[in-house]
Amino acid sequence: MTALLDFNHREKKPTFADGVNVLIDHALVAEQATRPTRDYLGGSRLGDACQRRLQYEYLKVPKDEGSGFSGQTLRIFALGHVFEDLAIDWLRKAGFDLRTRNRHGEQFGFEVAGGRLQGHADGVVVEAPNGMAVPALWECKSANAKNWREIAKRGVVKAKPVYAAQIALYQAYLGLTEASALFTAINKDTCEIWHELVPFDAERAQAASDKAVRILRACDAGEQLPRHTEDPEHFQCRFCDWKARCWE
């Protein structure tokens, strides 16, 4: 009996679009490799649940083979910057006096611990048409529809603790504690916009600052901080760039 041919599992030939995208992604990855890595602990990362991962980041520990930012991830980052620029323009047109640079033309930011902990804010609202208290920290994020809906439903503090820690820390170190921060989230799939006021949380800011001190001291002492979990298949571990190294 003659065997029937199976056309269901033939390897798909790359399309023209695939070829162009490979070129783009190779260029983006190569460009990223030329950029200097930061030599400080980023304030925007202190809300990460895993202190050991933050240690690896600060110490520039080599990532697992095959890890690192792909071309697609770099494109996602670039798109986030575009959305942030659009949000700035939209808010200004709506009557908000939103500043992204100080009088010296520099991005609003802070350095503490001899520059070993730094943070750079998206902006500061100095005047608002809707009566919100100013000056107020402004932070902007873009998210896919699922994550955006979670933020809009639960608020940034519950939905995204990493962002909440960043906001509190920046409010503290930039001296913007009297007025609630303005947090803006843009749905990348629908262009819906969520805005909320985030009151200063001194306890959250202190916890983030204490975590930074703990990480820096451990790095200086050559001590390895504990993992966030003892389950190597925890979702945060599965997508960690240092999973193999951490669990060896």
Side-chain angles (χ1 to χ4, degrees), residues 220-237:
D220 291 344
E223 299 173 354
Q224 191 171 67
L225 289 168
R227 306 181 187 95
H228 166 56
T229 176
E230 289 307 310
D231 178 11
E233 295 307 314
H234 188 279
F235 78 95
Q236 291 203 18
C237 291

Side-chain angles (χ1 to χ4, degrees), residues 13-245:
K13 295 178 63 175
T15 65
F16 174 78
D18 292 333
V20 174
N21 288 336
V22 166
L23 295 174
I24 291 173
D25 288 351
H26 282 175
L28 292 176
V29 171
E31 180 185 50
Q32 179 70 15
T34 66
R35 293 175 178 168
T37 56
R38 64 186 183 189
D39 54 1
Y40 58 86
L41 188 59
S44 63
R45 296 284 300 123
L46 282 175
D48 190 303
C50 187
Q51 298 176 95
R52 184 179 294 186
R53 176 161 48 211
L54 294 176
Q55 267 192 297
Y56 287 153
E57 289 182 9
Y58 176 74
L59 294 172
K60 301 181 183 179
V61 174
K63 298 178 180 179
D64 296 346
E65 186 176 352
S67 296
F69 298 134
S70 65
Q72 182 179 6
T73 299
L74 293 172
R75 285 186 272 127
I76 292 172
F77 290 163
L79 186 60
H81 293 307
V82 172
F83 274 115
E84 181 181 320
D85 290 340
L86 287 171
I88 292 168
D89 182 56
W90 294 335
L91 286 168
R92 286 174 175 169
K93 286 177 178 176
F96 290 81
D97 188 348
L98 173 58
R99 313 285 178 88
T100 58
R101 302 281 171 176
N102 62 24
R103 67 187 64 182
H104 305 294
E106 302 167 334
Q107 188 177 8
F108 292 105
F110 64 87
E111 294 185 20
V112 292
R116 299 173 73 192
L117 171 62
Q118 297 184 28
H120 302 89
D122 291 334
V124 176
V125 179
V126 299
E127 189 174 342
N130 60 350
M132 64 172 276
V134 294
L137 177 76
W138 179 67
E139 283 298 322
C140 179
K141 304 294 182 184
S142 57
N144 61 32
K146 179 182 177 182
N147 285 321
W148 184 90
R149 285 193 297 268
E150 186 71 8
I151 293 171
K153 178 180 179 181
R154 304 179 63 203
V156 65
V157 172
K158 292 182 178 180
K160 295 293 179 183
V162 172
Y163 299 162
Q166 176 186 358
I167 290 169
L169 191 73
Y170 285 22
Q171 286 174 298
Y173 280 123
L174 293 175
L176 297 170
T177 60
E178 296 300 316
S180 296
L182 174 61
F183 175 74
T184 298
I186 304 175
N187 187 326
K188 291 188 287 190
D189 298 331
T190 66
C191 273
E192 293 173 281
I193 313 174
W194 168 256
H195 304 283
E196 69 175 285
L197 294 175
V198 185
F200 174 61
D201 188 321
E203 185 176 346
R204 183 174 291 111
Q206 188 64 58
S209 181
D210 291 346
K211 180 188 284 189
V213 171
R214 191 159 55 249
I215 291 169
L216 292 173
R217 285 178 175 172
C219 290
D220 291 344
E223 299 173 354
Q224 191 171 67
L225 289 168
R227 306 181 187 95
H228 166 56
T229 176
E230 289 307 310
D231 178 11
E233 295 307 314
H234 188 279
F235 78 95
Q236 291 203 18
C237 291
R238 289 204 308 270
F239 298 103
C240 179
D241 290 332
W242 293 275
K243 179 183 179 181
R245 175 182 294 275

